[in-house]
Amino acid sequence: MTKNALVLFESMTLKRKDLLDISSLSHDEIIYIFEAAKIFKKVFTETNKKFSFLSGRTVCMLFIEPSTRTRLSFEIAAKRLSADVISVAPSTSSLVKGESLIDTVKTLEAMKTGFIIMRHPVSLAPDFLSRNCEAHVINGGDGNHAHPTQALLDGFSVYERTGSLKGLKVAIVGDIKHSRVARSGIELFTKMGSEVVLCGPPTLLPDDFSLYGIEMTFDLDSILPKLDVVNMLRIQLERQKGSLFPSIREYNKYFSLTKDRLKKCRKDVIVMHPGPINRGIEIDDFVADCENAIIEEQVTNGIAVRMAVFSLLCGKTLEDINKEK
Amino acid sequence: MKLCIKNGRVLDPASGLDKTACVNIEDGIIKSIGEAETADETIDAAGKLVLPGLIDLHVHFREPGREDQETIAGGCRIAAKSGYTSVVTMPNTNPPIDNQALVKFIKHEAEKSGLLNIFPAAAVSKGMKGEEISEMGELHTAGAVAFTDDGKPVSSSILMRRALEYSRMFDVPIMAHEEDHLLVDSGVINEGKVSASLGLRGIPNAAEEVMIARDVIIAGLSKGRLHVQHISSGGSVEIIRNAKKRGVKVTCETAPHYFSLTDEVVREKLALAKMNPPLRTEDDRIKIIEGLKDGTIDAIATDHAPHLMNEKRQEIEFAPNGIIGLETAVPLMITKLVKENGLSYNEVFAKVTCNPAKIIKIKKGEIKPGYDADIVIIDPEKKVIINDDFVASNCKNTPFMGAELFGSVECTILSGRITYKA
C-alpha cells in the first residue's frame, strides 16, 4: 500500500446506518473491521480500559429469540465503549401482548435509543425494521438468513492467524439449510477470496447454493485433506423429527468431526465452531479440546469484532481508535 | 337511451375484429358496429382502444367478514375504475360463501352499487372444510357460477373426484387452488436462488405441480370441468398443455404478477411481494408468457387481494399472502405482454373477455350486436405512474408501487351506462 492509500484507509469509516448482512459490505470494509478488531482485542485482553465512543448513548438488546453468548458479547462490547445497555426480553415485552415490531421500535426510539441489536426468529426482520427506524440496527442473527457479526468474528479468527483469507479452502459442515451462520460465512469467505465448500446430508444442503457457484459435497472424508479451515455447525437435534436425517447415530457416522477424521486433515487445519457445541455429536471431545480448535478464541474475538462494528458504524476511524487506545 | 362510441379502434377478441369504427348502443345492448348513428350521447374514442368490458375470474372483496380491508361496494368501484364490468368473487370470506343466502347477498350488494356484475363462486366444500361437497345445485340456482375452496387446496383426492363428478349436472367448473401443503412445509417465498440466500423457507414449484398433475388426472377420470387457478410455474404450464392435448376438460388462469415479476423483487419489496403461489424465477416467467401465447393459459385473473398496510408492515414470514391486482392489470397487460413481448391486443384481451366468459358460461365479453353493452375504452400509449394517488383502493399492498407503465383506462361502460370516466 502506498503512503497515500494508507492515509485514506486510516480515515475510512463505515458509511452506513446499519449492519444487516455481509453482502452489503465491501472487501475493504471487512479488512477495515478486522484491523480495528485487532486493536480492540489487544486493549480488551491486556487492559481494563474503556473507550469513550458510545458514551451517553443507549444500546438496546432486542432479542426476540433467546441467546446467551451473542447477547453477552454485544453487551460487553457496548459497555467497553461506555454505552448504557438495556435489554428487552421477549417474554417481558409488549410483543407478547400483540404489539407490532414497528410499534415496539418506535417506543425504543422515543426513548432515544441509538443502537438496536436485534435477534429474531424469522428471516429479514432486521432488514424490515431498519427501513422503518432512525436508530442504527445491527443484526444479531435473523431466522436462517444472516448473522453478520458471527461471520466477521469467524473471518477475523482466521485472518489473525493467516494474515489473509485469500486462497484458503474453507469447509462449512452440517445443517446448511437452517443456518444463518453458514449463509453469512459463505458470503464473507467468498468475498475475501477463500474457496468455500459446503458439506452435509442432501436434506440439509439446498441445491440452490450451486447456482452461486459454490462447491457442495455429501462426502466429508473426501475433502478433509484439502482444508485450511473447517467450520462445524451446531446440529439442532429437533431436525431429526422432520426426517431431515434418520438418527443422531447415522449423522455422526458421516458428518461428525472425530479424532480419526482430524488425522486425515492437514496438521495446521483450523477447527471452528460457532457454539454452543453438542459434544460427541458434530464434534467429539478430542477435537473440541485439541490445539487446532479455536472455539474459545472465537468467543474473545467476538467482543473485539463487535467493538469494531459499533465504533465504525458511529463514524469513528482507525485513527480515532489508535488515538484513544 | 342511445349511446355512440365514435372512431375508436374497436377490438373484439372473440371474432378477431380490429378496425376503426363506431359502436352504437341502444337501451344497454350493442346495436351495431360501423357508421355512427344519431345518439343521445357520444363518446369520442379516437386513438383509443374500444374493447369488451373486462372479466376477472378471481377477486377477493372481503365482505362479509373483513369490511375493513374491502367491501363489495368498494370493490365494485375499484373494478369499474380498472376497466372491469364483470368479476368472479372468491368464497373464502368469513363466513365462507357456502349457502344460497350469501350468494344472493353478494349479488344484491353488486346490484345496489350498479357499477359491476358480480358472478360469485361458492365453496366447493361445506364451510370450506374440505370434507363434504357443498349444495352445488342450490348454490348454482342462487347464482354461483363456479365452485372453489380458493385460499386453500382441496387436499382430499376423493373430495376432488366427487366435486368434479357432481358438478357435471350443472356444467360448472371446479376452480382449484393447487398446493400440496406437505411440500409447502411452511415455505414463505419461492424455493430457489433467492430463498437460499435470504434464508427464507422455500415453496418448490413441485408443491403446485403435483396437485395440478393429480387434478388433471382426476378430471380425466370424472369428466368434470377443472379450472386451475393462478398458475405460477413453468412446469404447471407444461402439465396443462399436455392434459389439453389428451382432451381433458381443463382451463387455467395466471395473474399479471406472474408474467411481470420474479422472486428477485422480494429482496427489495419484502412482504409486498409475498403471495401464494409465490413469485417464481425468470425461467418460469418466460414459460408463463409462452403459455399465454400458445393458448395453454386461457385467462388472466388478478387474484385481487386487499390487505391493510399494517398487516403487510410486519416480518415477511408473519405478513399475509396477496396483493391488490385490479388497478394494475390493464397497464401490466399492455406494457408486459403487448409492448415487451409482442402479443397482439386481441391475443391479450381474449384472456380477460371472451375466454373467461366461456369458462363461467355467461353471454358477455364480446362486442357483437345483441350483446350487453359492457365496454372499456383504453388509451394504450398514455403512461400511468403507480403511486398513492393512482391507487384508489383502500389497501395499497402492491409491489408495483412506483412503477411507470403504459395503458390507461379512460372509460368503463356497463350495460350502456358509464361507470367510470378518467
Side-chain angles (χ1 to χ4, degrees):
Chain A
M1 227 181 286
T2 66
K3 202 179 166 207
N4 273 346
L6 193 68
V7 171
L8 203 67
F9 198 69
E10 285 278 307
S11 58
M12 193 169 135
T13 183
L14 292 180
K15 285 194 186 63
R16 67 191 64 240
K17 180 168 88 67
D18 313 299
L19 178 64
L20 303 174
D21 51 34
I22 295 296
S23 56
S24 56
L25 292 173
S26 70
H27 172 277
D28 287 359
E29 285 175 320
I30 292 170
I31 294 285
Y32 199 65
I33 293 169
F34 289 170
E35 289 298 327
K38 252 191 208 168
I39 308 170
F40 282 122
K41 183 177 183 184
K42 194 165 161 51
V43 176
F44 171 73
T45 52
E46 293 173 9
T47 75
N48 296 325
K49 184 183 162 49
K50 278 191 176 189
F51 287 78
S52 66
F53 299 152
L54 296 184
S55 173
R57 305 192 71 171
T58 304
V59 173
C60 177
M61 306 294 201
L62 184 57
F63 276 56
I64 313 296
E65 185 184 76
S67 149
T68 308
R69 65 181 63 214
T70 303
R71 188 170 53 79
L72 286 178
S73 179
F74 269 113
E75 201 166 324
I76 293 167
K79 285 180 171 164
R80 281 287 180 136
L81 298 169
S82 304
D84 297 312
V85 181
I86 55 170
S87 282
V88 180
S91 57
T92 60
S93 74
S94 339
L95 286 162
V96 292
K97 297 179 196 159
E99 188 179 45
S100 76
L101 186 57
I102 286 193
D103 288 332
T104 301
V105 167
K106 285 203 169 130
T107 307
L108 291 175
E109 283 201 300
M111 295 172 179
K112 302 290 167 216
T113 304
F115 284 85
I116 296 172
I117 319 301
M118 190 191 209
R119 161 74 59 102
H120 200 293
V122 305
S123 300
L124 299 184
D127 202 304
F128 158 74
L129 175 67
S130 70
R131 300 179 194 202
N132 291 287
C133 79
E134 304 285 315
H136 297 283
V137 177
I138 300 177
N139 184 359
D142 62 324
N144 301 332
H145 173 222
H147 195 349
T149 55
Q150 178 73 45
L152 286 166
L153 79 88
D154 290 346
F156 174 67
S157 301
V158 178
Y159 178 82
E160 67 170 354
R161 296 193 165 220
T162 59
S164 166
L165 305 185
K166 200 162 180 217
L168 299 182
K169 185 102 178 168
V170 179
I172 304 177
V173 183
D175 181 358
I176 309 297
K177 186 181 169 105
H178 301 98
S179 176
R180 52 192 171 219
V181 176
R183 283 184 177 77
S184 287
I186 292 165
E187 283 181 350
L188 184 130
F189 283 103
T190 308
K191 192 164 269 176
M192 303 314 283
S194 306
E195 209 180 305
V196 175
V197 51
L198 304 176
C199 179
T203 44
L204 296 174
L205 196 57
D207 280 337
D208 299 305
F209 277 113
S210 64
L211 298 170
Y212 293 94
I214 295 163
E215 187 186 339
M216 302 201 287
T217 178
F218 313 138
D219 185 355
L220 179 58
D221 293 300
S222 72
I223 56 171
L224 289 174
K226 294 178 263 179
L227 300 178
D228 297 293
V229 177
V230 53
N231 194 0
M232 301 301 296
L233 300 176
R234 176 181 166 80
I235 190 88
Q236 285 178 299
L237 304 179
E238 65 269 20
R239 301 286 178 214
Q240 190 248 317
K241 288 195 196 96
S243 276
L244 290 162
F245 54 90
S247 65
I248 295 289
R249 195 167 73 104
E250 186 156 318
Y251 183 86
N252 268 1
K253 181 178 167 195
Y254 295 109
F255 300 107
S256 180
L257 192 58
T258 56
K259 188 177 175 183
D260 286 344
R261 284 211 168 93
L262 191 65
K263 282 187 201 151
K264 296 186 190 170
C265 296
R266 292 173 32 177
K267 265 197 181 137
D268 58 348
V269 70
I270 298 173
V271 176
M272 297 202 292
H273 192 296
I277 315 179
N278 293 308
R279 274 181 190 259
I281 296 179
E282 63 267 356
I283 196 165
D284 77 5
D285 276 339
F286 178 85
V287 177
D289 301 326
C290 75
E291 281 190 354
N292 301 72
I294 57 163
I295 300 169
E296 284 84 34
E297 189 82 27
Q298 287 176 269
V299 177
T300 307
N301 288 342
I303 292 170
V305 161
R306 288 176 178 116
M307 286 173 82
V309 168
F310 274 125
S311 305
L312 300 175
L313 274 184
C314 70
K316 301 294 177 221
T317 62
L318 276 182
E319 252 176 336
D320 298 326
I321 299 166
N322 268 319
K323 238 181 257 169
E324 215 186 293
K325 80 177 176 201
Chain B
M1 169 75 189
K2 291 183 183 176
L3 175 67
C4 177
I5 303 165
K6 271 190 177 165
N7 303 324
R9 179 174 169 190
V10 180
L11 292 156
D12 180 43
S15 62
L17 176 76
D18 179 355
K19 67 170 185 186
T20 301
C22 303
V23 180
N24 298 297
I25 295 164
E26 195 171 332
D27 296 329
I29 304 289
I30 297 167
K31 198 179 160 208
S32 66
I33 299 119
E35 295 298 312
E37 293 179 14
T38 52
D40 305 307
E41 192 180 348
T42 45
I43 297 171
D44 183 17
K48 293 172 191 154
L49 311 179
V50 176
L51 281 151
L54 310 184
I55 302 172
D56 190 344
L57 287 180
H58 196 139
V59 301
H60 298 270
F61 282 173
R62 307 298 189 204
E63 188 177 358
R66 284 302 304 269
E67 292 81 353
D68 57 329
Q69 291 176 332
E70 188 58 282
T71 57
I72 294 170
C76 289
R77 211 166 47 244
I78 297 302
K81 185 218 161 204
S82 311
Y84 286 82
T85 50
S86 298
V87 305
V88 176
T89 48
M90 291 300 115
N92 62 337
T93 47
N94 185 16
I97 311 304
D98 70 347
N99 63 63
Q100 314 87 288
L102 284 171
V103 173
K104 284 179 186 162
F105 164 75
I106 291 170
K107 289 195 74 86
H108 178 71
E109 288 298 299
E111 278 155 23
K112 251 187 4 196
S113 91
L115 296 172
L116 184 70
N117 299 308
I118 293 189
F119 298 95
V124 71
S125 69
K126 286 180 191 137
M128 286 186 59
K129 290 196 179 118
E131 290 161 5
E132 299 167 47
I133 55 169
S134 57
E135 292 180 312
M136 291 186 187
E138 295 281 8
L139 290 159
H140 181 56
T141 309
V145 296
F147 295 91
T148 177
D149 280 357
D150 178 56
K152 49 186 186 182
V154 173
S155 292
S156 156
S157 42
I158 188 64
L159 185 77
M160 183 50 94
R161 176 181 182 175
R162 296 300 176 229
L164 281 165
E165 283 172 343
Y166 191 78
S167 59
R168 287 167 59 194
M169 260 209 296
F170 318 104
D171 191 23
V172 288
I174 302 298
M175 295 182 160
H177 167 116
E178 303 289 32
E179 170 184 18
D180 181 324
H181 268 307
L182 293 172
L183 279 173
V184 170
D185 192 22
S186 58
V188 182
I189 63 167
N190 180 52
E191 178 174 318
K193 206 175 164 182
V194 178
S195 70
S197 81
L198 295 183
L200 286 165
R201 277 189 294 252
I203 303 173
N205 285 12
E208 175 176 315
E209 292 160 8
V210 295
M211 283 293 266
I212 296 177
R214 183 199 78 170
D215 286 349
V216 295
I217 290 166
I218 297 176
L221 170 73
S222 59
K223 302 188 179 58
R225 279 171 56 199
L226 174 70
H227 175 77
V228 181
Q229 296 177 298
H230 47 52
I231 64 169
S232 67
S233 93
S236 302
V237 179
E238 189 48 47
I239 293 164
I240 292 166
R241 185 179 286 131
N242 183 282
K244 283 185 166 184
K245 263 186 213 149
R246 289 185 290 114
V248 175
K249 284 193 253 174
V250 58
T251 55
C252 71
E253 69 190 35
T254 190
H257 35 278
Y258 302 122
F259 61 70
S260 302
L261 298 175
T262 68
D263 56 356
E264 287 290 337
V265 304
V266 174
R267 297 181 196 271
E268 186 200 342
K269 301 281 184 176
L270 300 179
L272 282 179
K274 183 186 178 191
M275 71 277 296
N276 186 20
L279 295 172
R280 305 285 187 188
T281 64
E282 182 62 10
D283 181 55
D284 293 297
R285 193 182 78 88
I286 290 165
K287 285 177 177 153
I288 291 282
I289 293 171
E290 283 168 10
L292 285 163
K293 275 188 186 162
D294 73 8
T296 302
I297 302 176
D298 304 88
I300 295 168
T302 63
D303 198 0
H304 181 77
H307 289 289
L308 299 176
M309 280 310 274
N310 67 31
E311 297 172 300
K312 281 291 195 182
R313 278 162 60 99
Q314 291 192 69
E315 298 85 331
I316 181 164
E317 197 166 324
F318 302 152
N321 282 310
I323 63 171
I324 54 169
L326 283 166
E327 291 171 272
T328 46
V330 165
L332 289 172
M333 288 189 287
I334 288 178
T335 308
K336 301 290 175 182
L337 296 179
V338 178
K339 294 203 186 285
E340 287 179 15
N341 280 284
L343 277 79
S344 74
Y345 287 119
N346 271 332
E347 273 179 293
V348 172
F349 283 95
K351 318 281 184 194
V352 277
T353 56
C354 54
N355 291 2
K358 223 178 283 165
I359 291 168
I360 55 169
K361 291 203 308 172
I362 54 174
K363 190 188 163 190
K364 286 185 175 294
E366 300 185 32
I367 295 189
K368 202 188 257 178
Y371 270 64
D372 291 338
D374 293 354
I375 285 174
V376 58
I377 302 170
I378 294 169
D379 185 340
E381 301 305 329
K382 193 165 156 185
K383 266 195 175 173
V384 293
I385 300 167
I386 313 300
N387 55 25
D388 271 348
D389 292 335
F390 175 82
V391 179
S393 181
N394 185 31
C395 295
K396 318 267 182 202
N397 53 313
T398 169
F400 296 105
M401 204 51 98
E404 276 190 50
L405 301 166
F406 287 100
S408 165
V409 174
E410 296 294 296
C411 182
T412 309
I413 296 162
L414 180 75
S415 293
R417 271 184 315 105
I418 293 169
T419 53
Y420 171 77
K421 203 159 191 182

